[in-house]
Amino acid sequence: MAATRAASAASRVFLAFLSAVVAIAALLAVLLTVDAQAAERAEAETLTLSLARTIASMPTVTAAMDESDAATTAALQPVVLEITADTPLDFITIMRPDGIRLTHPDPTQIGGRYLGTIDEAAAGGTVTEEFTGTLGPSVRSVVPVRDGAEVVGLVAAGVTVGNVWGQVWGRLPFVLGVAIALAAVGAAAALLARRLTRRIAGDLPASTVRDAVSSYESVRTLGEALRAQTHEHGNRMHTAVALLELGRTEEAIGILTETSRQSQELVDQVAARRDGDPTVGALLLGKAAQARERGVDWSAEIDPTAPRSALSPVDAVSVVGNLIDNALDAAAGGADPRWVRVAFAPAPGGALALSVSDSGSGVADELRERIFEHGFSTKPAGSDGRGVGLALVRSIVEGAGGAVDLSSAPTTFQVILPGRRP
């Protein structure tokens, strides 16, 4: 069976962009629906309270409260049924201060006790609440009927929750229209993003694009290291030649011997590993020269038993080189003494532990995660590789099943990588 073709970088950008837009549109639809429900409930509370107060202030209602229960019901039941029919209210219940109903949409409920809170209203205040009564859950307001200063009755006006939601459903076309419009704009933006990405990366798979970036970073950091090493050796050779011309043979031999010794120490450490990576070894030699060029004290400790990582030489150089570059920049920009320490050691489970420490000023707590984001950098705008190095390091390491950790005092990046299988 033919292998499934990997999705291109452009397609991944499109899908990521579109997924984000759909999620935002869905969240917006939910928020608008919740807002509409809250608005309808607030409107229902305002309506019920206003109409309850209007009914309680009617002279007919106040006068009828002085009659017997039967006479009050006969006088007010037709009135409240007419008002209910002409307004959005679902019920109007007029009752005695003790809660005995005198009117109700269902005549069989008259004479029973009102279901809900009335104490505050009976004391002369008002009550607005959602309560489940004989008609189901409803938003209702209860106000007192006064004869002078005396509370002679109560009026409850309510709207069932079903009707409140009915008003919300009426707003759904608008909510869905906004969500669909947002999704359409987002889809168009996603198509544009895919087109722009395709212009840059063509139909290459995302992994291939990342490999290309890794290769570029590998060549860049290795090139900088070799340039520094070549420059350092060139300076020392020129100095030695000048000393020989001046007849100062011993001093010339001393310079050449010291150059050889410093390089040999690192070569011996690299060669002592049971499964060393010669590419990383060459990188370390160059970075040592680069550190001396920048006035940074350099130390590299390589445990002979440290395994070779599962990374390819290109990815290994990208990870090690970018971490060292980051440390050199931090140390060179800090106070004396300026130093960088690199260590390779075995880790549990046959893994490789790489740590890179520096004497720099460290990373602020609020930036500890952001420094790994693509495009973010604490370096000045326009710096080469700005915002790529640490993001690429994390991508490569986590893609290989490893982990990157940052600690302080001193600033140390520690990478745990699976060891290469025999």
Side-chain angles (χ1 to χ4, degrees), residues 215-279:
S215 297
Y216 167 78
E217 284 293 295
S218 178
V219 171
R220 180 195 62 78
T221 187
L222 188 57
E224 288 178 354
L226 295 178
R227 179 206 56 77
Q229 188 178 26
T230 300
H231 184 258
E232 180 185 45
H233 282 294
N235 286 341
R236 294 195 178 192
M237 288 299 295
H238 288 311
T239 302
V241 169
L243 288 171
L244 288 173
E245 290 177 349
L246 294 172
R248 299 164 66 175
T249 305
E250 290 186 6
E251 293 180 40
I253 293 174
I255 288 178
L256 295 176
T257 301
E258 177 64 15
T259 300
S260 176
R261 184 191 64 77
Q262 291 176 349
S263 298
Q264 190 62 43
E265 286 180 355
L266 189 53
V267 169
D268 290 342
Q269 289 189 64
V270 174
R273 295 178 62 193
R274 69 184 185 197
D275 189 20
D277 186 338
T279 309

Side-chain angles (χ1 to χ4, degrees), residues 331-385:
D336 288 329
R338 299 179 177 89
W339 53 264
V340 168
R341 305 283 183 263
V342 181
F344 293 82
L352 170 67
L354 161 66
S355 64
V356 180
S357 305
D358 65 72
S359 61
S361 58
V363 179
D365 290 341
E366 63 271 18
L367 302 180
R368 291 174 70 89
E369 281 300 316
R370 292 197 64 196
I371 60 173
F372 291 103
E373 294 177 5
H374 184 80
F376 178 82
S377 176
T378 57
K379 299 177 184 179
S383 297
D384 291 340

